[in-house]
């Protein structure tokens, strides 16, 4: 069963946690992810930009399961920013660096077509003739630093 990305849920939770602790939330953004709209003149040589998303620094903040958007001033000029959740590499408090970093998401590829016809049964050590499928891959967790 395919599940949606957990990233937007973690982003919202950590954002609220940082604000509840009277700290300033910042996000690290990969500006090269498709659909990302940030002022390119402020992107570093690695293609990243750090943005202050404190309520006092931005206007019209909106965060959902697909993206974060808001208005912010850069060199006195108002910019409309749109950042897909997959472009956010981390969220942390400016004051102490506490927060959460994420692995870069690969650009989504279209799902493979469903197999046509029955799945072949592997030959070898099994004695079952019922055509049992091989065991499903176990779910796993990984550490996100």
């Amino acid at each position: 069963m395919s599940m949606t990305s957990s990233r937007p849920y973690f982003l919202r939770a950590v954002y609220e946690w940082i604000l509840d602790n009277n700290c300033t939330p910042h996000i690290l953004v990969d500006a090269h992810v498709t659909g990302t709209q940030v002022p390119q003149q402020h992107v570093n040589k690695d293609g990243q930009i750090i943005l202050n998303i404190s309520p006092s620094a931005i206007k019209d903040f909106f965060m959902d399961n697909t993206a974060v958007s808001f208005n912010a001033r850069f060199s006195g000029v108002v910019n409309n920013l749109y950042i897909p959740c997959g472009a956010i590499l981390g969220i942390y408090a400016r004051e102490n660096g506490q927060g959460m970093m994420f692995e870069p998401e690969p650009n989504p590829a279209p799902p493979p077509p469903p197999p046509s016809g029955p799945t072949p049964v592997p030959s070898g050590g099994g004695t079952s003739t019922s055509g049992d499928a091989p065991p499903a891959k176990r779910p796993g967790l990984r550490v996100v630093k």
Side-chain angles (χ1 to χ4, degrees):
M1 180 177 156
S2 177
M3 295 180 69
T4 60
S5 173
S6 60
R7 186 176 302 211
Y9 300 93
F10 285 121
L11 286 169
R12 283 194 296 273
V14 175
Y15 176 76
E16 290 293 328
W17 173 70
I18 291 170
L19 291 177
D20 286 350
N21 284 280
N22 298 314
C23 291
T24 310
H26 281 64
I27 54 175
L28 174 63
V29 176
D30 180 350
H32 294 143
V33 170
T34 304
T36 304
Q37 297 173 8
V38 295
Q40 293 298 311
Q41 65 271 28
H42 296 283
V43 173
N44 70 17
K45 62 181 171 66
D46 296 325
Q48 300 175 345
I49 185 170
I50 296 172
L51 301 168
N52 176 350
I53 57 170
S54 170
S56 62
I58 60 176
K59 291 189 182 257
D60 302 325
F61 182 75
F62 181 75
M63 184 185 319
D64 66 9
N65 288 349
T66 57
V68 174
S69 63
F70 55 90
N71 295 328
R73 289 185 176 270
F74 291 84
S75 303
V77 178
V78 176
N79 289 267
N80 297 319
L81 285 78
Y82 181 86
I83 303 124
C85 288
I88 299 174
L89 301 175
I91 180 168
Y92 63 92
R94 177 184 66 200
E95 291 79 2
N96 56 23
Q98 291 189 34
M100 183 176 280
M101 299 302 287
F102 304 101
E103 293 290 323
E105 284 188 353
N107 285 333
S116 58
T119 305
V121 177
S123 61
T127 57
S128 173
T129 58
S130 64
D132 292 331
K137 184 178 176 185
R138 291 180 48 193
L141 297 175
R142 61 187 164 116
V143 177
V144 178
K145 294 184 180 181

CSV table of all heavy atoms in Angstrom, one decimal, residues 26-83:
chain,number,residue,atom,x,y,z
A,26,HIS,N,13.4,28.5,10.9
A,26,HIS,CA,14.1,28.7,9.6
A,26,HIS,C,13.9,27.4,8.8
A,26,HIS,O,13.9,26.3,9.4
A,26,HIS,CB,15.5,29.0,9.8
A,26,HIS,CG,15.8,30.4,10.1
A,26,HIS,ND1,15.4,31.0,11.3
A,26,HIS,CD2,16.5,31.4,9.5
A,26,HIS,CE1,15.8,32.2,11.3
A,26,HIS,NE2,16.5,32.5,10.2
A,27,ILE,N,13.8,27.5,7.5
A,27,ILE,CA,13.8,26.3,6.6
A,27,ILE,C,15.0,26.4,5.7
A,27,ILE,O,15.4,27.4,5.2
A,27,ILE,CB,12.5,26.1,5.9
A,27,ILE,CG1,12.1,27.3,5.1
A,27,ILE,CG2,11.4,25.7,6.8
A,27,ILE,CD1,10.9,27.1,4.2
A,28,LEU,N,15.6,25.2,5.4
A,28,LEU,CA,16.6,25.0,4.4
A,28,LEU,C,15.9,24.5,3.2
A,28,LEU,O,15.3,23.4,3.2
A,28,LEU,CB,17.7,24.1,4.9
A,28,LEU,CG,18.8,23.7,3.9
A,28,LEU,CD1,19.6,25.0,3.5
A,28,LEU,CD2,19.7,22.7,4.5
A,29,VAL,N,16.1,25.2,2.0
A,29,VAL,CA,15.4,24.8,0.8
A,29,VAL,C,16.3,24.5,-0.3
A,29,VAL,O,17.3,25.2,-0.5
A,29,VAL,CB,14.4,26.0,0.4
A,29,VAL,CG1,13.8,25.7,-0.9
A,29,VAL,CG2,13.4,26.3,1.5
A,30,ASP,N,16.0,23.4,-1.1
A,30,ASP,CA,16.7,23.1,-2.3
A,30,ASP,C,16.0,23.9,-3.4
A,30,ASP,O,14.9,23.5,-3.8
A,30,ASP,CB,16.7,21.6,-2.6
A,30,ASP,CG,17.4,21.2,-3.8
A,30,ASP,OD1,17.8,22.1,-4.6
A,30,ASP,OD2,17.6,20.0,-4.1
A,31,ALA,N,16.6,25.0,-3.8
A,31,ALA,CA,16.0,25.9,-4.8
A,31,ALA,C,15.9,25.3,-6.2
A,31,ALA,O,15.2,25.8,-7.1
A,31,ALA,CB,16.8,27.2,-4.8
A,32,HIS,N,16.6,24.1,-6.5
A,32,HIS,CA,16.5,23.5,-7.8
A,32,HIS,C,15.4,22.5,-8.0
A,32,HIS,O,15.2,22.0,-9.1
A,32,HIS,CB,17.9,22.9,-8.1
A,32,HIS,CG,19.0,23.9,-8.2
A,32,HIS,ND1,20.3,23.6,-7.8
A,32,HIS,CD2,19.0,25.1,-8.7
A,32,HIS,CE1,21.0,24.7,-8.0
A,32,HIS,NE2,20.3,25.6,-8.5
A,33,VAL,N,14.6,22.3,-6.9
A,33,VAL,CA,13.5,21.3,-7.1
A,33,VAL,C,12.4,22.0,-7.9
A,33,VAL,O,12.1,23.2,-7.8
A,33,VAL,CB,12.9,20.9,-5.7
A,33,VAL,CG1,11.6,20.2,-5.8
A,33,VAL,CG2,14.0,20.1,-4.9
A,34,THR,N,11.9,21.2,-8.9
A,34,THR,CA,10.9,21.7,-9.8
A,34,THR,C,9.7,22.3,-9.0
A,34,THR,O,9.2,21.8,-8.1
A,34,THR,CB,10.3,20.5,-10.7
A,34,THR,OG1,11.5,19.9,-11.3
A,34,THR,CG2,9.3,21.0,-11.7
A,35,GLY,N,9.3,23.5,-9.4
A,35,GLY,CA,8.2,24.2,-8.9
A,35,GLY,C,8.6,25.2,-7.7
A,35,GLY,O,7.7,26.0,-7.3
A,36,THR,N,9.8,25.2,-7.3
A,36,THR,CA,10.3,26.0,-6.2
A,36,THR,C,10.4,27.5,-6.7
A,36,THR,O,11.1,27.7,-7.8
A,36,THR,CB,11.6,25.6,-5.6
A,36,THR,OG1,11.4,24.2,-5.2
A,36,THR,CG2,12.0,26.4,-4.5
A,37,GLN,N,9.8,28.4,-6.1
A,37,GLN,CA,9.9,29.8,-6.4
A,37,GLN,C,10.4,30.6,-5.3
A,37,GLN,O,9.7,30.9,-4.3
A,37,GLN,CB,8.5,30.4,-6.8
A,37,GLN,CG,7.9,29.7,-8.0
A,37,GLN,CD,6.5,30.1,-8.3
A,37,GLN,OE1,5.9,31.0,-7.7
A,37,GLN,NE2,5.8,29.4,-9.2
A,38,VAL,N,11.7,30.9,-5.4
A,38,VAL,CA,12.4,31.7,-4.4
A,38,VAL,C,13.3,32.7,-5.1
A,38,VAL,O,13.6,32.5,-6.3
A,38,VAL,CB,13.3,30.8,-3.4
A,38,VAL,CG1,12.4,29.9,-2.6
A,38,VAL,CG2,14.3,30.1,-4.2
A,39,PRO,N,13.7,33.8,-4.5
A,39,PRO,CA,14.6,34.8,-5.2
A,39,PRO,C,15.9,34.1,-5.5
A,39,PRO,O,16.7,33.9,-4.6
A,39,PRO,CB,14.7,36.0,-4.2
A,39,PRO,CG,14.2,35.5,-2.9
A,39,PRO,CD,13.4,34.3,-3.2
A,40,GLN,N,16.2,33.9,-6.7
A,40,GLN,CA,17.4,33.2,-7.2
A,40,GLN,C,18.7,33.9,-6.8
A,40,GLN,O,19.7,33.3,-6.6
A,40,GLN,CB,17.3,32.8,-8.7
A,40,GLN,CG,16.3,31.8,-9.0
A,40,GLN,CD,16.5,30.5,-8.4
A,40,GLN,OE1,17.6,29.9,-8.4
A,40,GLN,NE2,15.4,30.0,-7.7
A,41,GLN,N,18.6,35.2,-6.7
A,41,GLN,CA,19.8,36.0,-6.4
A,41,GLN,C,20.3,35.7,-5.0
A,41,GLN,O,21.5,36.1,-4.7
A,41,GLN,CB,19.7,37.5,-6.7
A,41,GLN,CG,18.6,38.2,-5.8
A,41,GLN,CD,17.2,38.1,-6.4
A,41,GLN,OE1,16.8,37.2,-7.1
A,41,GLN,NE2,16.4,39.1,-6.0
A,42,HIS,N,19.5,35.1,-4.2
A,42,HIS,CA,19.9,34.8,-2.8
A,42,HIS,C,20.2,33.3,-2.5
A,42,HIS,O,20.4,32.9,-1.4
A,42,HIS,CB,18.8,35.3,-1.8
A,42,HIS,CG,18.6,36.8,-1.8
A,42,HIS,ND1,19.4,37.6,-1.2
A,42,HIS,CD2,17.6,37.5,-2.5
A,42,HIS,CE1,19.0,38.9,-1.4
A,42,HIS,NE2,17.9,38.8,-2.2
A,43,VAL,N,20.2,32.5,-3.6
A,43,VAL,CA,20.5,31.1,-3.5
A,43,VAL,C,22.0,31.0,-3.5
A,43,VAL,O,22.7,31.6,-4.3
A,43,VAL,CB,19.8,30.4,-4.7
A,43,VAL,CG1,20.3,28.9,-4.8
A,43,VAL,CG2,18.3,30.5,-4.6
A,44,ASN,N,22.5,30.1,-2.6
A,44,ASN,CA,24.0,29.9,-2.6
A,44,ASN,C,24.5,29.0,-3.7
A,44,ASN,O,23.7,28.5,-4.5
A,44,ASN,CB,24.4,29.4,-1.2
A,44,ASN,CG,24.0,27.9,-0.9
A,44,ASN,OD1,23.6,27.2,-1.8
A,44,ASN,ND2,24.0,27.6,0.4
A,45,LYS,N,25.8,28.8,-3.7
A,45,LYS,CA,26.4,28.0,-4.8
A,45,LYS,C,26.0,26.6,-4.8
A,45,LYS,O,26.1,25.9,-5.9
A,45,LYS,CB,27.9,28.1,-4.8
A,45,LYS,CG,28.5,27.6,-3.5
A,45,LYS,CD,30.1,27.8,-3.6
A,45,LYS,CE,30.7,27.4,-2.3
A,45,LYS,NZ,30.7,26.1,-1.8
A,46,ASP,N,25.5,26.1,-3.7
A,46,ASP,CA,25.0,24.7,-3.6
A,46,ASP,C,23.5,24.6,-4.0
A,46,ASP,O,22.9,23.5,-4.0
A,46,ASP,CB,25.2,24.2,-2.2
A,46,ASP,CG,26.6,24.1,-1.8
A,46,ASP,OD1,27.5,23.8,-2.7
A,46,ASP,OD2,26.9,24.3,-0.6
A,47,GLY,N,22.9,25.7,-4.4
A,47,GLY,CA,21.5,25.7,-4.9
A,47,GLY,C,20.5,25.7,-3.7
A,47,GLY,O,19.4,25.3,-3.8
A,48,GLN,N,21.0,26.2,-2.5
A,48,GLN,CA,20.2,26.2,-1.3
A,48,GLN,C,19.9,27.6,-0.8
A,48,GLN,O,20.7,28.5,-1.1
A,48,GLN,CB,20.8,25.3,-0.2
A,48,GLN,CG,21.0,23.9,-0.6
A,48,GLN,CD,21.7,23.1,0.4
A,48,GLN,OE1,22.3,23.6,1.3
A,48,GLN,NE2,21.6,21.8,0.3
A,49,ILE,N,18.9,27.8,-0.1
A,49,ILE,CA,18.6,29.1,0.5
A,49,ILE,C,17.9,28.8,1.9
A,49,ILE,O,17.2,27.8,2.1
A,49,ILE,CB,17.6,29.9,-0.4
A,49,ILE,CG1,17.4,31.3,0.2
A,49,ILE,CG2,16.3,29.2,-0.6
A,49,ILE,CD1,16.7,32.3,-0.7
A,50,ILE,N,18.3,29.6,2.9
A,50,ILE,CA,17.7,29.5,4.2
A,50,ILE,C,16.7,30.6,4.4
A,50,ILE,O,17.1,31.8,4.1
A,50,ILE,CB,18.8,29.6,5.3
A,50,ILE,CG1,19.8,28.4,5.2
A,50,ILE,CG2,18.2,29.6,6.7
A,50,ILE,CD1,21.0,28.4,6.1
A,51,LEU,N,15.5,30.3,4.8
A,51,LEU,CA,14.5,31.3,4.9
A,51,LEU,C,13.9,31.3,6.3
A,51,LEU,O,13.6,30.3,6.9
A,51,LEU,CB,13.3,30.9,3.9
A,51,LEU,CG,13.7,30.9,2.5
A,51,LEU,CD1,12.6,30.2,1.7
A,51,LEU,CD2,14.0,32.2,1.9
A,52,ASN,N,13.8,32.6,6.8
A,52,ASN,CA,13.1,32.8,8.1
A,52,ASN,C,11.6,32.7,7.9
A,52,ASN,O,11.1,33.5,7.1
A,52,ASN,CB,13.6,34.2,8.6
A,52,ASN,CG,12.9,34.6,9.9
A,52,ASN,OD1,12.0,33.9,10.4
A,52,ASN,ND2,13.4,35.7,10.5
A,53,ILE,N,10.9,31.8,8.6
A,53,ILE,CA,9.5,31.7,8.4
A,53,ILE,C,8.7,32.1,9.7
A,53,ILE,O,7.6,31.6,9.9
A,53,ILE,CB,9.1,30.3,7.8
A,53,ILE,CG1,9.5,29.2,8.7
A,53,ILE,CG2,9.6,30.1,6.4
A,53,ILE,CD1,8.9,27.8,8.4
A,54,SER,N,9.4,32.9,10.4
A,54,SER,CA,8.7,33.5,11.6
A,54,SER,C,7.5,34.3,11.2
A,54,SER,O,7.6,35.1,10.2
A,54,SER,CB,9.7,34.3,12.4
A,54,SER,OG,9.1,35.0,13.5
A,55,PRO,N,6.4,34.2,12.0
A,55,PRO,CA,5.2,35.1,11.6
A,55,PRO,C,5.5,36.6,11.6
A,55,PRO,O,4.9,37.3,10.8
A,55,PRO,CB,4.2,34.8,12.8
A,55,PRO,CG,4.6,33.4,13.2
A,55,PRO,CD,6.1,33.3,13.1
A,56,SER,N,6.5,37.0,12.3
A,56,SER,CA,6.9,38.4,12.2
A,56,SER,C,7.7,38.8,11.0
A,56,SER,O,7.8,40.0,10.7
A,56,SER,CB,7.6,38.8,13.5
A,56,SER,OG,8.9,38.1,13.6
A,57,ALA,N,8.2,37.8,10.3
A,57,ALA,CA,9.1,38.1,9.1
A,57,ALA,C,8.4,37.9,7.8
A,57,ALA,O,8.9,38.4,6.8
A,57,ALA,CB,10.3,37.2,9.2
A,58,ILE,N,7.2,37.3,7.8
A,58,ILE,CA,6.5,37.0,6.6
A,58,ILE,C,5.1,37.3,6.7
A,58,ILE,O,4.5,37.6,7.7
A,58,ILE,CB,6.7,35.5,6.2
A,58,ILE,CG1,6.1,34.6,7.3
A,58,ILE,CG2,8.2,35.1,6.0
A,58,ILE,CD1,6.1,33.1,7.0
A,59,LYS,N,4.4,37.3,5.5
A,59,LYS,CA,2.9,37.6,5.4
A,59,LYS,C,2.3,36.5,4.6
A,59,LYS,O,2.9,35.8,3.8
A,59,LYS,CB,2.7,38.9,4.8
A,59,LYS,CG,3.1,40.1,5.7
A,59,LYS,CD,2.5,41.4,5.1
A,59,LYS,CE,3.0,42.5,5.9
A,59,LYS,NZ,2.0,43.1,6.8
A,60,ASP,N,1.0,36.3,4.8
A,60,ASP,CA,0.2,35.4,4.0
A,60,ASP,C,0.8,33.9,4.0
A,60,ASP,O,0.8,33.3,3.0
A,60,ASP,CB,0.0,35.9,2.6
A,60,ASP,CG,-0.7,37.2,2.5
A,60,ASP,OD1,-1.5,37.5,3.4
A,60,ASP,OD2,-0.3,38.0,1.7
A,61,PHE,N,1.2,33.5,5.2
A,61,PHE,CA,1.8,32.2,5.3
A,61,PHE,C,0.7,31.1,5.2
A,61,PHE,O,-0.4,31.2,5.7
A,61,PHE,CB,2.4,32.0,6.7
A,61,PHE,CG,3.1,30.7,6.9
A,61,PHE,CD1,4.3,30.4,6.3
A,61,PHE,CD2,2.5,29.7,7.8
A,61,PHE,CE1,4.9,29.2,6.6
A,61,PHE,CE2,3.1,28.5,8.0
A,61,PHE,CZ,4.3,28.2,7.4
A,62,PHE,N,1.1,30.1,4.4
A,62,PHE,CA,0.2,28.9,4.1
A,62,PHE,C,1.0,27.7,4.0
A,62,PHE,O,2.0,27.7,3.2
A,62,PHE,CB,-0.7,29.2,2.9
A,62,PHE,CG,-1.7,28.1,2.6
A,62,PHE,CD1,-2.8,27.9,3.4
A,62,PHE,CD2,-1.4,27.1,1.6
A,62,PHE,CE1,-3.7,26.9,3.2
A,62,PHE,CE2,-2.3,26.1,1.4
A,62,PHE,CZ,-3.5,26.0,2.2
A,63,MET,N,0.6,26.6,4.7
A,63,MET,CA,1.3,25.4,4.7
A,63,MET,C,0.3,24.2,4.6
A,63,MET,O,-0.6,24.2,5.4
A,63,MET,CB,2.2,25.1,5.9
A,63,MET,CG,3.0,23.9,5.9
A,63,MET,SD,4.0,23.5,7.4
A,63,MET,CE,4.6,25.0,7.9
A,64,ASP,N,0.4,23.4,3.5
A,64,ASP,CA,-0.5,22.2,3.4
A,64,ASP,C,0.4,21.0,3.1
A,64,ASP,O,1.6,21.1,3.2
A,64,ASP,CB,-1.6,22.5,2.4
A,64,ASP,CG,-1.2,22.6,1.0
A,64,ASP,OD1,0.0,22.4,0.7
A,64,ASP,OD2,-2.0,23.0,0.1
A,65,ASN,N,-0.2,20.0,2.6
A,65,ASN,CA,0.5,18.7,2.3
A,65,ASN,C,1.3,18.8,1.1
A,65,ASN,O,2.1,17.9,0.8
A,65,ASN,CB,-0.5,17.5,2.3
A,65,ASN,CG,-1.0,17.2,3.6
A,65,ASN,OD1,-0.5,17.7,4.6
A,65,ASN,ND2,-2.0,16.3,3.6
A,66,THR,N,1.2,19.8,0.3
A,66,THR,CA,2.0,19.9,-1.0
A,66,THR,C,3.1,21.0,-0.9
A,66,THR,O,4.1,20.8,-1.5
A,66,THR,CB,1.1,20.2,-2.2
A,66,THR,OG1,0.4,21.4,-1.9
A,66,THR,CG2,0.1,19.0,-2.4
A,67,ALA,N,2.9,22.1,-0.2
A,67,ALA,CA,3.8,23.2,-0.3
A,67,ALA,C,3.7,24.2,0.9
A,67,ALA,O,2.7,24.1,1.6
A,67,ALA,CB,3.6,23.9,-1.6
A,68,VAL,N,4.6,25.0,0.9
A,68,VAL,CA,4.6,26.2,1.9
A,68,VAL,C,4.7,27.4,1.0
A,68,VAL,O,5.5,27.5,0.0
A,68,VAL,CB,5.9,26.1,2.8
A,68,VAL,CG1,5.9,27.4,3.7
A,68,VAL,CG2,5.8,24.9,3.7
A,69,SER,N,3.8,28.4,1.3
A,69,SER,CA,3.9,29.6,0.5
A,69,SER,C,3.7,30.8,1.4
A,69,SER,O,3.1,30.7,2.5
A,69,SER,CB,2.8,29.6,-0.6
A,69,SER,OG,1.5,29.6,0.0
A,70,PHE,N,4.3,31.9,1.0
A,70,PHE,CA,4.2,33.2,1.8
A,70,PHE,C,4.9,34.3,1.1
A,70,PHE,O,5.5,34.1,0.0
A,70,PHE,CB,4.9,33.0,3.2
A,70,PHE,CG,6.4,32.5,3.1
A,70,PHE,CD1,7.4,33.4,3.0
A,70,PHE,CD2,6.7,31.2,3.1
A,70,PHE,CE1,8.7,33.0,3.0
A,70,PHE,CE2,8.0,30.7,3.1
A,70,PHE,CZ,9.0,31.7,3.0
A,71,ASN,N,4.7,35.5,1.6
A,71,ASN,CA,5.3,36.7,1.0
A,71,ASN,C,6.4,37.1,2.0
A,71,ASN,O,6.2,37.1,3.2
A,71,ASN,CB,4.3,37.9,0.9
A,71,ASN,CG,3.3,37.5,-0.1
A,71,ASN,OD1,3.5,36.8,-1.1
A,71,ASN,ND2,2.1,38.0,0.1
A,72,ALA,N,7.6,37.5,1.4
A,72,ALA,CA,8.7,38.0,2.3
A,72,ALA,C,9.4,39.1,1.5
A,72,ALA,O,9.4,39.1,0.3
A,72,ALA,CB,9.6,36.8,2.6
A,73,ARG,N,10.1,39.9,2.3
A,73,ARG,CA,10.9,41.0,1.7
A,73,ARG,C,12.4,40.6,1.6
A,73,ARG,O,12.9,40.0,2.5
A,73,ARG,CB,10.8,42.3,2.5
A,73,ARG,CG,9.5,42.9,2.5
A,73,ARG,CD,9.6,44.3,3.2
A,73,ARG,NE,8.3,45.0,3.1
A,73,ARG,CZ,8.0,45.8,2.1
A,73,ARG,NH1,9.0,46.1,1.2
A,73,ARG,NH2,6.9,46.4,2.1
A,74,PHE,N,13.0,40.8,0.4
A,74,PHE,CA,14.4,40.6,0.2
A,74,PHE,C,14.9,41.9,-0.4
A,74,PHE,O,14.4,42.4,-1.4
A,74,PHE,CB,14.6,39.5,-0.8
A,74,PHE,CG,14.2,38.1,-0.3
A,74,PHE,CD1,12.9,37.7,-0.3
A,74,PHE,CD2,15.2,37.3,0.3
A,74,PHE,CE1,12.6,36.4,0.2
A,74,PHE,CE2,14.9,36.1,0.8
A,74,PHE,CZ,13.6,35.6,0.7
A,75,SER,N,15.9,42.5,0.3
A,75,SER,CA,16.4,43.8,-0.1
A,75,SER,C,15.3,44.8,-0.3
A,75,SER,O,15.3,45.6,-1.3
A,75,SER,CB,17.3,43.7,-1.4
A,75,SER,OG,18.3,42.7,-1.2
A,76,GLY,N,14.3,44.8,0.5
A,76,GLY,CA,13.2,45.8,0.4
A,76,GLY,C,12.1,45.5,-0.6
A,76,GLY,O,11.1,46.2,-0.7
A,77,VAL,N,12.3,44.4,-1.4
A,77,VAL,CA,11.3,44.0,-2.4
A,77,VAL,C,10.5,42.8,-2.0
A,77,VAL,O,11.0,41.8,-1.5
A,77,VAL,CB,12.1,43.7,-3.7
A,77,VAL,CG1,11.1,43.3,-4.8
A,77,VAL,CG2,12.9,44.9,-4.2
A,78,VAL,N,9.2,43.0,-2.1
A,78,VAL,CA,8.3,41.9,-1.7
A,78,VAL,C,8.3,40.8,-2.7
A,78,VAL,O,8.2,41.1,-3.9
A,78,VAL,CB,6.8,42.4,-1.5
A,78,VAL,CG1,5.9,41.2,-1.2
A,78,VAL,CG2,6.7,43.4,-0.4
A,79,ASN,N,8.5,39.5,-2.3
A,79,ASN,CA,8.5,38.4,-3.2
A,79,ASN,C,7.5,37.4,-2.7
A,79,ASN,O,7.3,37.2,-1.5
A,79,ASN,CB,9.9,37.7,-3.1
A,79,ASN,CG,11.0,38.5,-3.8
A,79,ASN,OD1,11.3,38.3,-4.9
A,79,ASN,ND2,11.6,39.4,-3.0
A,80,ASN,N,6.8,36.7,-3.7
A,80,ASN,CA,5.9,35.6,-3.4
A,80,ASN,C,6.7,34.4,-3.5
A,80,ASN,O,7.3,34.1,-4.6
A,80,ASN,CB,4.8,35.6,-4.4
A,80,ASN,CG,3.9,36.9,-4.3
A,80,ASN,OD1,3.6,37.3,-3.2
A,80,ASN,ND2,3.5,37.4,-5.5
A,81,LEU,N,6.8,33.6,-2.4
A,81,LEU,CA,7.6,32.4,-2.4
A,81,LEU,C,6.6,31.2,-2.4
A,81,LEU,O,5.6,31.2,-1.7
A,81,LEU,CB,8.5,32.3,-1.2
A,81,LEU,CG,9.7,33.2,-1.3
A,81,LEU,CD1,9.4,34.7,-1.0
A,81,LEU,CD2,10.8,32.7,-0.3
A,82,TYR,N,7.0,30.1,-3.1
A,82,TYR,CA,6.3,28.9,-3.2
A,82,TYR,C,7.3,27.8,-3.1
A,82,TYR,O,8.2,27.7,-3.9
A,82,TYR,CB,5.5,28.8,-4.5
A,82,TYR,CG,4.7,27.5,-4.5
A,82,TYR,CD1,3.4,27.4,-4.0
A,82,TYR,CD2,5.2,26.4,-5.2
A,82,TYR,CE1,2.7,26.3,-4.0
A,82,TYR,CE2,4.4,25.2,-5.2
A,82,TYR,CZ,3.2,25.2,-4.7
A,82,TYR,OH,2.4,24.0,-4.7
A,83,ILE,N,7.2,26.9,-2.1
A,83,ILE,CA,8.2,25.9,-1.8
A,83,ILE,C,7.5,24.6,-1.7
A,83,ILE,O,6.8,24.3,-0.7
A,83,ILE,CB,9.1,26.2,-0.6
A,83,ILE,CG1,9.8,27.5,-0.7
A,83,ILE,CG2,10.1,25.1,-0.4
A,83,ILE,CD1,9.5,28.5,0.4
